[in-house]
Amino acid sequence: MTTTTPPVPPVPPVPSVPYVTTAPPRAALGPLGLLTLLLGTALPMIDFFVVNVALPTIERDLHAPAATLEMVVAGYAVAYAVLLVLGGRLGDSYGRRLFLWGVAGFGLTSLACGLAPGAWWLVAARAAQGAASAALLPQVLATIHATTSGERRARAVALYGSVGGVSIVLGQVLGGVLVAADLAGTGWRAVFLVNVPVAAAAFGCALRSVPDSRAERPARADLAGTALLAAALTALLLPLTEGRAAGWPLWSVLLLCAAPLPALAFHGVERRAERTAGSPLLPPSLLAAGAVRRGLLLGLPVFVGFAGWMFVTAVTLQQGLGYGALRAGLTLVPMGVAQFAASMLAPRAVRRFGGRAVTLAAVVHIAGLATTAATVLLGPWPHLSPLALAPGLVLCGVGQGLQLPLYFRFLLAAIPDRLAGAGSGLAATLQQSCLAVGVATLGSLFLSLVPGAGMRRALAVVLAVQAAGLLGLAALGLRLPGKDHV
C-alpha cells in the first residue's frame, strides 16, 4: 500500500468565543454539561485517528487508490478548517442550538460514512462530517467562556486542553480494536458507526445540561470576509494536505502560489469594514496589541511541532519498528496519560510560575525529544519495545499537556472582551494552518531523509528541528507576564 499521510493531528482548536456582555450568564455550566461539551469535543478528534488506522482496510474493501484515500483525510481536514471561523461567528447568533445541530450532523454524517457504497461517497461524507465538526467545536469553549469564571473556568479550560491527548490514544487504540474485531462483519465501517449512538447520547445530554451562550448583541455576518478567508484557507490547506502524497502536481503548486491573493483581498476587506464601523470577521486592529501577537506566536512551535511529531511517530512505529495498529496505539498510552495529568496541573503552574510555566513546559518537552532520539539511535533497532520508548514519551506528554492549556489561557487573556470572537477565530485559523504546515514540512523532511539516512536517523533530525522550535517557545515564555500579573 502507498504510504498515506496521517490526518492533521487533532489537537483541540481555539474556537470563536462569542461576545459576552457584563450581564451575568443565565445559567452556570454544571458537571454534566461540561462532560457533554468535552464529549462533543472528543468525537471529531477521535475520528481523525480512528480513520487513519482504518485506511488500509478501506483501500482493500472499496478498491480505492492512494489519491482517493488522501481525499478521505483531506476532505475532512479542509472542510473543518475552512468553516471553523464561520461556525464560531454563527455561534454568536445561535449558541447552544448550533452545538446541537453540530452533534446531530456529526452523528448523521458518521452514519453516511459507515454506509458508504464507494470511495467517493466516503470522501463526500467525510467532508460533510468536517463541516458538522466546524459547527460543533467552536461552541465548546464559547460556552465555557460564557458560563464559568475564575477557578472553575481555569479547570474547565485545562480539561478542554487535555481532551487532545486522551483522544489521540483512544483513537489509535479504538481504531485498532474495531478493525481487528470486525464486529458483525462491519470491518472498517464500525469506526464510523460507533459514533452514532455516542452522538445521540451527547445530543440528549446537551438538551438537558448545556446552557445557552448566545451573544446578546451578535455581530452582523461578514459574507465577503468569510468567502475570502475560505478561499485563502482552501488554497493553502488543500495542497499542503494532499500535495505531498500526490507528488506535488502542478495544481498544488499553483494553488499555493495563489493563496496570498485572496488573503490580501481579505485583509483589505476587513480593514475597510473596521474603518467604516462594520462587522469584520477578523479585525486587523486585533494584532495591534503586543500581548495578542505574543499569544499567537506561542502556537507556532506548539502546533507545527505537534503535527510533525504525530506524523513521524506513526510512520516510525508502524513501518520502522513493524508495530501493528493496535500495538502502535498502546505504545502512545503513556504519553496520553502524562498529557492528561499535566494539563490538570496547568492552572497551578500558572499560579506559581506565571509565564515562566511556558518555558518550563518547553524544557520538559525538549528533554522528552532528546530522550526519545537517544533511545532510537542507541537502542536495538528495529527491535525497540514500547517499554523502552515510554520514558521519552512520558516527558513529551508532560510538555504537550502543559503547553495547550497555557496557550489557551494566555491568548484568551490578551484578547479584549469586545473582540473575543474575532481573536479566538484568528487563533483557530493560525492553529489549523500550522497543523497542515507541520505535516507538510516536517513530514516531507522526514520522508526525504529516510532513503539516504535511514528511518531512525531521519527521526532524530526531525526531533532536533522540533526541539529548536521549542527553544523559541521557551524564550517567548520568558517575555510573558510573571506570576504576579496573570
Side-chain angles (χ1 to χ4, degrees), residues 292-466:
V292 173
R293 292 196 299 270
R294 285 193 296 272
L296 290 171
L297 282 174
L298 292 178
L300 292 177
V302 171
F303 297 122
V304 171
F306 185 80
W309 161 261
M310 291 308 304
F311 176 82
V312 301
T313 301
V315 175
T316 300
L317 291 178
Q318 297 191 48
Q319 295 187 10
L321 297 177
Y323 291 4
L326 181 57
R327 192 183 187 196
L330 292 174
T331 300
L332 296 177
V333 167
M335 185 183 76
V337 172
Q339 185 165 339
F340 179 81
S343 68
M344 294 296 94
L345 297 175
R348 187 180 302 176
V350 172
R351 288 195 300 270
R352 181 165 183 179
F353 301 108
R356 305 299 189 275
V358 174
T359 302
L360 174 64
V363 170
V364 173
H365 198 166
I366 291 171
L369 295 176
T371 303
T372 301
T375 302
V376 169
L377 290 173
L378 302 177
W381 183 273
H383 305 294
L384 287 173
S385 67
L387 186 61
L389 295 168
L393 293 177
V394 167
L395 288 172
C396 288
V398 171
Q400 291 165 355
L402 289 172
Q403 287 162 13
L404 294 174
L406 294 177
Y407 169 74
F408 298 150
R409 177 161 182 160
F410 282 106
L411 179 59
L412 293 178
I415 296 173
D417 284 346
R418 63 184 180 85
L419 296 176
S424 297
L426 177 60
T429 303
L430 174 74
Q431 176 192 7
Q432 294 307 310
S433 300
C434 286
L435 292 173
V437 168
V439 173
T441 55
L442 296 180
S444 296
L445 173 64
F446 175 75
L447 293 176
S448 67
L449 291 174
V450 167
M455 189 166 290
R456 58 176 175 174
R457 291 184 178 84
L459 175 64
V461 170
V462 172
L463 295 185
V465 173
Q466 185 183 357

Side-chain angles (χ1 to χ4, degrees), residues 144-156:
I144 292 173
H145 182 88
T147 59
T148 62
S149 61
E151 282 302 309
R152 291 183 65 246
R153 179 180 295 177
R155 287 194 297 270

Side-chain angles (χ1 to χ4, degrees), residues 181-223:
D182 192 20
L183 300 173
T186 55
W188 60 268
R189 299 177 188 273
V191 305
F192 296 109
L193 297 176
V194 73
N195 294 330
V196 178
V198 178
F203 186 91
C205 290
L207 282 174
R208 299 179 54 189
S209 61
V210 175
D212 206 353
S213 61
R214 282 178 291 178
E216 295 190 7
R217 296 195 302 271
R220 298 188 304 272
D222 179 10
L223 298 180

